[in-house]
Amino acid sequence: MHAPHRSATTRPLLRRTPVAGFTTRFAPAPTGHLHLGHAVNAVWVWGLAQAYGGRVLLRIEDHDRGRCRPDYEASILDDLDWLSLVPDGVRTTDFRRGPTAQRQSDGGTRYTAALEALTARGLVYACRCSRAEVGQPQYPGTCRHAAIDPASTPARRVRFAPEAPERFEDLRLGAQSQDPVQQCGDLLVRDRAGNWTYQFAVVLDDLEQGVDLIIRGEDLLDSTGRQFRLARLLGRGTMPSVVHHPLVAHPDGRKLSKSSGDTGLRELRAQGVPAAAVLGRAAMLGGLRDDSAPLDARDLGTLFRDG
Ligand code: GLU
């Protein structure tokens, strides 16, 4: 077993540690193959679960029907098996076998029921704005009082009333305050193509699947306040804890993306790089230690315990 090294200057990884018995999730979107950025997230997710006693659910976030592909899902499942990252509950073999509540494209009726419940409370309206008309980042409320015929478009927004900002404590980054009304305004929950949006699907899934610790990259920090606001509207009483971890970047600062061919897990595997070497590299890229020595999937918890 390899003992992780961290330099003396490194701050503690977390300000507060998760409470044992949590449920977290690894939730890739099958819009491409897994790359080192996903491996970094996986190392944080499985590492924290091992170190502090948590369950890891696998969720396939294929809400965007135009961009997701079954072969990408198959490739994700294969790479997870290759890395020996084993989810609790629904396994990769269960995903291969057929429908599961943890694949978003199998969740249509759940999302519809939740939307109907919000609609019955007068919180939803149909929206005819295109992305270009909306502008960024805040929706100006164009269709809010326009009484758009719901039969004319599948697009729906949930009203966000002005209220106190969402305050929460990120276990790594500390106190946060976000005002969803300022940040994004009324939230799009289904788009003009009829796709459930990431924000809507992820909030309902985290609620229904009992996820009480969210571990994801810092690029999603801004989404947290709006997700908490929506979760409250959907009846969630206690918000999940959150950890947003550093993102992998190229040396020149560019965000690593699926288009960066040099970092695809399939490519690394095809080059003969062992799974433990990928996990070791991901641990370093994710700010968990200074070296990239091979790391077995069973030892990911040591990254957090030996700090
Ligand atoms: N599906 C998202 C992604 O692939 C992750 C969502 C989340 O962790 O909230 O980046």
Side-chain angles (χ1 to χ4, degrees):
M1 199 170 81
H2 176 83
H5 307 291
R6 246 175 266 133
S7 70
T9 53
T10 311
R11 283 169 295 144
L13 289 172
L14 299 174
R15 289 163 192 253
R16 285 204 293 137
T17 54
V19 178
F22 60 84
T23 300
T24 187
R25 78 295 200 276
F26 180 70
T31 53
H33 300 287
L34 293 187
H35 55 75
L36 275 173
H38 293 101
V40 167
N41 180 239
V43 163
W44 273 84
V45 166
W46 268 276
L48 283 173
Q50 283 174 22
Y52 297 107
R55 303 169 66 227
V56 179
L57 303 182
L58 173 60
R59 182 192 302 146
I60 295 292
E61 299 213 325
D62 59 349
H63 52 91
D64 186 337
R65 304 308 296 138
R67 291 177 59 224
C68 293
R69 288 183 5 201
D71 55 317
Y72 288 141
E73 177 184 310
S75 151
I76 289 169
L77 300 175
D78 286 349
D79 282 345
L80 287 176
D81 287 348
W82 176 65
L83 291 169
S84 302
L85 294 171
V86 181
D88 297 289
V90 182
R91 303 288 177 106
T92 50
T93 43
D94 301 313
F95 277 94
R96 291 190 186 95
R97 213 168 278 144
T100 155
Q102 286 169 219
R103 180 188 288 110
Q104 292 182 330
S105 63
D106 295 331
T109 53
R110 293 186 297 115
Y111 304 126
T112 304
L115 181 64
E116 279 170 2
L118 293 172
T119 306
R121 288 158 58 201
L123 292 169
V124 176
Y125 60 90
C127 177
R128 270 217 294 255
C129 296
S130 68
R131 213 177 263 257
E133 284 160 350
V134 167
Q136 291 294 333
Q138 187 203 33
Y139 180 62
T142 319
C143 292
R144 199 171 221 237
H145 303 292
I148 306 292
D149 177 5
S152 68
T153 175
R156 297 289 184 275
R157 284 183 189 274
V158 168
R159 293 174 205 276
F160 276 172
E163 50 183 291
E166 294 291 331
R167 295 183 198 284
F168 57 93
E169 178 101 10
D170 183 288
L171 298 185
R172 177 175 159 260
L173 300 170
Q176 307 290 320
S177 173
Q178 297 181 2
D179 183 350
V181 171
Q182 294 299 321
Q183 288 176 299
C184 63
D186 296 343
L187 196 67
L188 191 69
V189 295
R190 196 170 57 199
D191 69 16
R192 301 207 303 170
N195 291 309
W196 301 105
T197 62
Y198 156 67
Q199 303 289 358
F200 186 64
V202 84
V203 169
L204 194 72
D205 287 352
D206 284 340
L207 173 60
E208 293 188 341
Q209 292 163 16
V211 170
D212 53 11
L213 176 62
I214 291 172
I215 304 164
R216 60 188 176 198
E218 276 176 5
D219 56 336
L220 287 167
L221 180 61
D222 279 355
S223 286
T224 305
R226 70 197 66 170
Q227 290 181 8
F228 282 10
R229 181 67 50 89
L230 182 61
R232 254 177 255 290
L233 294 175
L234 287 167
R236 184 160 192 158
T238 307
M239 292 306 125
S241 298
V242 292
V243 180
H244 290 86
H245 58 71
L247 289 173
V248 183
H250 286 284
D252 64 4
R254 262 182 311 130
K255 192 186 153 191
L256 183 142
S257 78
K258 288 158 198 173
S259 52
S260 325
D262 51 333
T263 60
L265 301 193
R266 301 165 87 228
E267 284 78 9
L268 295 170
R269 189 174 159 187
Q271 288 160 23
V273 178
V278 169
L279 294 176
R281 202 166 148 197
M284 186 188 70
L285 290 167
L288 293 167
R289 61 177 199 185
D290 290 335
D291 68 279
S292 65
L295 189 57
D296 194 280
R298 283 169 307 192
D299 296 333
L300 295 176
T302 62
L303 293 167
F304 296 90
R305 277 198 301 266
D306 299 352

